[in-house]
């Protein structure tokens, strides 16, 4: 498959959004939803993960695709709930991109939380792009969440963490606690620090009743995961 064929495949793929519930740990009430991209592409041809890996090397296509995707995510989002939307800093670099997203985010400012996602690179240039994006959002009073905290290979940044209203704890933390229960105390300390800073913690990857009981003991504010899949909506 050549580059043009792949570009056309991605741009014309049927697109859906999955809205995964974020719940209060104590009450189990829904407090928000996270919008997740779903592409209707034959997995034998290209996976969603491979799509985004490819797009990191094609900024123009990535930006075009995300204009469509973000509009869809906000248009169909469950009403009366904040929506956590993943944004890659690489598509907010040029003046054209910044102007577009500033207008888009201003329109949805009251209902959107921007999740700052890793762009797959740990070099200094990429780190600067993410820091600049974090500052750009803060200047415009857009609420943000630091995504994938503690995920293998992720970049830890106090700068971005301090700018964020929410810290999303990667699901790998719960899996690590299953293998070594001493990591419970480590995560408990992280969550206490987050809350002491006036921020909210969200533990991802709650897949079983045992996970839920662990999260309750940890004292996290919020949680999400497949254990609550009956609350997921797809549009």
């Amino acid at each position: 498959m050549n580059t043009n064929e792949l570009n056309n495949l991605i741009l014309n793929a049927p697109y859906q959004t999955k809205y995964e519930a974020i719940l209060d740990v104590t009450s189990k009430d829904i407090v928000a939803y996270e919008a997740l991209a779903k592409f209707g592409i034959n997995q034998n041809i290209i996976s969603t993960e491979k799509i985004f890996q490819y797009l990191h090397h094609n900024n123009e296509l990535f930006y075009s695709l995300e204009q469509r995707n973000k509009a869809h995510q906000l248009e169909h989002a469950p009403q009366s709930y904040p929506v956590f939307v993943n944004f890659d800093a690489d598509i907010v670099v040029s003046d054209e991109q910044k102007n577009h997203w500033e207008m888009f985010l201003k329109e949805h400012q009251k209902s959107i939380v921007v999740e700052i996602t890793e762009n797959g690179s740990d070099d200094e240039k990429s780190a600067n792009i993410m820091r600049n994006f974090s500052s750009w959002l803060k200047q415009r009073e857009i609420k943000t969440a630091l995504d994938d905290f503690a995920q293998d290979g992720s970049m830890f940044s106090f700068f971005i963490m301090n700018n964020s209203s929410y810290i999303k704890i990667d699901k790998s933390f719960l899996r690590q606690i299953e293998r070594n229960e001493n990591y419970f105390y480590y995560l408990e300390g992280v969550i206490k620090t987050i809350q002491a800073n006036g921020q909210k913690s969200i533990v991802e990857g709650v897949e079983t009743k045992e996970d839920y009981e662990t999260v309750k003991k940890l004292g996290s504010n919020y949680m999400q995961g497949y254990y609550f899949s009956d609350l997921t909506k797809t549009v």
Side-chain angles (χ1 to χ4, degrees):
M1 183 181 300
N2 62 40
T3 300
N4 287 334
E5 289 173 332
L6 184 56
N7 290 353
N8 287 331
L9 178 66
I10 293 172
L11 279 174
N12 297 314
Y15 178 77
Q16 292 181 314
T17 300
K18 181 171 76 171
Y19 298 96
E20 188 169 281
I22 298 173
L23 298 92
D24 182 281
V25 170
T26 302
S27 67
K28 292 200 290 186
D29 291 335
I30 297 173
V31 295
Y33 283 90
E34 179 181 358
L36 301 169
K38 289 178 64 67
F39 295 90
I41 295 179
N42 187 328
Q43 296 301 300
N44 292 324
I45 298 174
I46 184 170
S47 67
T48 300
E49 181 179 357
K50 287 181 179 178
I51 289 174
F52 286 107
Q53 288 175 350
Y54 171 76
L55 290 171
H56 282 303
H57 303 284
N58 191 326
N59 182 265
E60 184 177 345
L61 178 61
F62 197 2
Y63 172 56
S64 297
L65 186 68
E66 285 293 73
Q67 288 181 77
R68 178 195 74 175
N69 296 351
K70 299 313 177 200
H72 183 281
Q73 290 171 359
L74 270 296
E75 180 183 354
H76 297 281
Q79 298 297 306
S80 303
Y81 292 98
V83 182
F84 284 63
V85 178
N86 292 275
F87 262 83
D88 194 302
D90 281 345
I91 59 166
V92 195
V93 177
S94 70
D95 289 341
E96 176 191 353
Q97 292 169 358
K98 289 179 179 179
N99 290 336
H100 172 80
W101 294 123
E102 182 165 13
M103 292 178 62
F104 177 84
L105 292 169
K106 184 176 181 180
E107 179 184 354
H108 300 286
Q109 187 170 10
K110 293 182 179 179
S111 60
I112 195 170
V113 177
V114 172
E115 291 196 24
I116 300 179
T117 61
E118 296 284 0
N119 58 13
S121 177
D122 58 359
D123 60 35
E124 187 59 27
K125 180 180 178 181
S126 297
N128 283 333
I129 289 173
M130 291 182 67
R131 285 194 291 268
N132 291 339
F133 182 46
S134 176
S135 295
W136 185 85
L137 290 165
K138 185 174 183 179
Q139 290 166 6
R140 286 151 183 80
E141 299 182 338
I142 305 297
K143 288 186 178 180
T144 61
L146 175 61
D147 196 19
D148 298 332
F149 181 85
Q151 182 185 61
D152 287 346
S154 64
M155 179 188 72
F156 178 82
S157 168
F158 280 114
F159 182 86
I160 296 175
M161 186 175 186
N162 289 337
N163 279 348
S164 301
S165 300
Y166 303 87
I167 310 298
K168 300 194 74 178
I169 310 296
D170 187 70
K171 62 183 179 181
S172 58
F173 229 129
L174 286 181
R175 304 292 77 81
Q176 184 63 38
I177 290 172
E178 289 175 351
R179 295 188 288 269
N180 183 343
E181 62 184 18
N182 291 326
Y183 278 94
F184 174 93
Y185 304 104
Y186 186 48
L187 182 52
E188 184 180 40
V190 169
I191 288 173
K192 286 181 179 178
T193 302
I194 290 168
Q195 294 171 347
N197 286 335
Q199 301 162 305
K200 301 295 186 182
S201 59
I202 304 172
V203 177
E204 300 179 299
V206 179
E207 299 177 355
T208 65
K209 183 178 180 181
E210 289 72 24
D211 288 341
Y212 171 56
E213 295 299 329
T214 297
V215 172
K216 282 199 296 184
K217 292 176 184 176
L218 284 165
S220 178
N221 300 105
Y222 307 126
M223 60 187 173
Q224 69 182 104
Y226 293 138
Y227 186 55
F228 310 103
S229 60
D230 58 320
L231 302 175
T232 297
K233 306 174 186 293
T234 302
V235 178

